[in-house]
Amino acid sequence: MSSPAPSSSPARTTAGAHQPAAARSRLVRLGIPPALTWGFVGVLLFMTGDGVETGFFSKYLADHGLAKADAAVVIAVYGITVAVGAWLSGALSDLWGPRRVMTAGFAIWLVFQLLLLSVALPAMNFPLLLLVYGLRGFGYPLFAYGFLVWVTAATPPHRLGTAVGWYWFAFTGGLPTLGSLLASVTIPQVGSYRTLWLALGLVTLGGLLALLLVREPTGWSRLAPAGERPLATLAGSVSIMRRRPRVAVGAAVRVVSTGSQFGFLVCMPFFFTETAGFSTSEWLRLLSVMFTANIFANLFFGAVGDRLGWQRTMTWFGAVACALTCLALYYVPLVAGPSFAASAVAAALYGIALAGYVPISALVPALAPRHKGQAMSALNLGAGLSTFAGPAVVALALGPFGIEGIVWIFAGLHLLTAVAIRFLEPDPEFTVSAATAAEDGAALPAGRH
């Protein structure tokens, strides 16, 4: 699936050394691992392509013959395969190494996007859409979360919060920020269907940049111990949630953290265009505002988490803030009417609040420092399940409760995570290793100090 990892010790000790020393120094000060720089760029472009459809795909399906509930089912099935792919990204990284996992995700996305565009969408056949779009759901989590595993495996503990902040900057910079912005420009010019073809080109470019230019050696080989059997590795990526219950709690928090986001992406296009009085392009621009605020807040809260404490940052700036801003996202347009400025403020605040959960990508591996790949499998499973859970809540609650009820459900779930986060104390072994690694004497990030 990929060429062997560089085996000579010089390659392992000088990964990224082709970069000028001054440039490497600037990257280190910013918290970006220099040897992984092109991976962040690749993820940004890949997720921009993947995110092009996010703000309008459910409405596109409904406008071309599917019932709204069936469109929500298509998105929910996609979410299931994303969840499985997210789990496999960690488990298979233990077995194959993150780079091979990323290669598999890249290939899957390209193949099934071509089938979606050339066969499933022209036919607008519900079972065929479930199959093709569902299978494509394995693609982006294997690629993107495979790189997240690479980041957590290759970054020193005392800089991990900032590094994952940059990862989420790249991830959400594409999905859905730049993707939605691009769609808002291209749909009026070339239409929705051709915009989906444009996404294919962006994903191709991003995947090639990451896979061809990142040479950091950790991701080229398996992360599990050499003697561990494949079935034991795969089983361990599930059983760790039983062996380390706090990892299971962290995965559950991860489900909720972006569950509202993916739920809103299904139901809010209808709310803003049919109730609040916005056009589809205006709604897509609101999404761009939301996630432009989010991507910069990802960097901010990644660094804040390293200083203020990962748990404290997640509790107040993530869980509590998300509960409040979920409500604002719904009620502000009702009160202010189709005022883009007022809704943009509410959207930006919600995007900022979502970033308050960023330190969880550093915190969950700290719960099981000897099994980081397995812990990341559980966390990535939670991330993938959020793409299913959010649309599933919409599909179940839209009829009996309407969009207003859905908003209150998500707000309540965010408040529940504020309680759950208090149980996510890092393993003492991680705390000791982080203290040893912090050569600059910075305070430990993970506690409630």
Side-chain angles (χ1 to χ4, degrees):
M1 189 174 299
S2 63
S3 58
S7 57
S8 65
S9 58
R12 292 185 174 269
T13 56
T14 62
H18 59 282
Q19 297 171 321
R24 286 175 54 83
S25 178
R26 283 194 296 270
L27 291 171
V28 170
R29 287 197 300 271
L30 288 171
I32 302 174
L36 298 177
T37 302
W38 282 108
F40 291 104
V41 176
V43 167
L44 174 64
L45 292 172
F46 187 106
M47 298 312 299
T48 297
D50 187 82
V52 160
E53 71 196 35
T54 306
F56 72 89
F57 194 63
S58 61
K59 192 172 187 301
Y60 176 88
L61 295 177
D63 289 345
H64 288 77
L66 286 189
K68 291 180 182 179
D70 287 342
V73 171
V74 170
I75 304 299
V77 168
Y78 172 80
I80 293 174
T81 56
V82 167
V84 176
W87 163 64
L88 287 173
S89 67
L92 294 178
S93 290
D94 272 353
L95 288 176
W96 299 343
R99 187 180 183 277
R100 288 188 177 184
V101 174
M102 293 173 67
T103 303
F106 179 50
I108 288 169
W109 201 99
L110 294 183
V111 169
F112 286 100
Q113 178 74 353
L114 285 170
L115 289 175
L116 178 71
L117 294 173
S118 60
V119 181
L121 285 180
M124 199 51 66
N125 179 278
F126 180 56
L128 187 59
L129 282 167
L130 288 176
L131 177 65
V132 174
Y133 193 60
L135 290 175
R136 204 204 76 182
F138 287 106
Y140 100 68
L142 289 176
F143 181 86
Y145 295 138
F147 184 67
L148 177 59
V149 175
W150 198 340
V151 171
T152 60
T155 305
H158 64 294
R159 294 190 179 273
L160 189 53
T162 305
V164 298
W166 278 107
Y167 169 82
W168 288 112
F169 176 91
F171 185 101
T172 59
L175 172 69
T177 313
L178 292 177
S180 295
L181 181 61
L182 181 63
S184 73
V185 174
T186 58
I187 287 176
Q189 301 298 321
V190 301
S192 300
Y193 182 69
R194 290 181 179 177
T195 294
L196 294 172
W197 278 101
L198 177 62
L200 182 68
L202 286 170
V203 167
T204 301
L205 177 60
L208 291 175
L209 284 177
L211 293 173
L212 296 179
L213 298 183
V214 177
R215 308 293 295 177
E216 198 284 327
T218 304
W220 287 71
S221 56
R222 58 181 278 157
L223 302 180
E228 190 170 299
R229 294 173 298 175
L231 288 179
T233 299
L234 289 173
S237 66
V238 176
S239 66
I240 192 169
M241 289 187 280
R242 173 183 53 80
R243 293 181 282 114
R244 297 289 185 101
R246 289 179 298 171
V247 172
V249 173
V253 170
R254 184 65 184 86
V255 173
V256 175
S257 66
T258 51
S260 62
Q261 170 192 327
F262 289 106
F264 287 159
L265 291 173
V266 174
C267 65
M268 284 300 183
F270 302 111
F271 169 71
F272 275 92
T273 59
E274 297 176 4
T275 302
F278 290 83
S279 68
T280 297
S281 290
E282 287 173 329
W283 156 243
L284 291 172
R285 285 196 290 273
L286 281 176
L287 274 186
S288 296
V289 169
M290 180 187 300
F291 289 99
T292 298
N294 174 260
I295 61 175
F296 290 103
N298 284 336
L299 297 179
F300 177 75
F301 287 122
V304 167
D306 281 345
R307 295 180 177 275
L308 184 64
W310 296 337
Q311 288 171 282
R312 183 181 296 170
T313 301
M314 290 166 58
T315 299
W316 294 106
F317 297 107
V320 174
C322 273
L324 296 174
T325 54
C326 277
L327 301 176
L329 191 62
Y330 177 81
Y331 286 108
V332 167
L334 286 184
V335 173
S339 167
F340 186 86
S343 292
V345 171
L349 291 174
Y350 174 68
I352 290 169
L354 286 174
Y357 283 105
V358 156
I360 197 169
S361 298
L363 179 55
V364 168
L367 305 177
R370 293 193 177 186
H371 299 281
K372 288 184 178 180
Q374 294 179 7
M376 287 303 298
S377 289
L379 181 67
N380 291 345
L381 176 61
L385 282 173
S386 72
T387 68
F388 163 74
V393 168
V394 172
L396 293 173
L398 185 59
F401 302 111
I403 294 177
E404 184 174 18
I406 290 169
V407 168
W408 279 98
I409 290 170
F410 284 131
L413 290 172
H414 280 297
L415 289 178
L416 286 177
T417 67
V419 178
I421 289 166
R422 311 314 294 167
F423 296 95
L424 302 183
E425 286 285 354
D427 188 278
E429 182 177 343
F430 174 85
T431 305
V432 171
S433 65
T436 302
E439 298 175 350
D440 56 3
L444 294 179
R448 298 185 188 134
H449 53 279

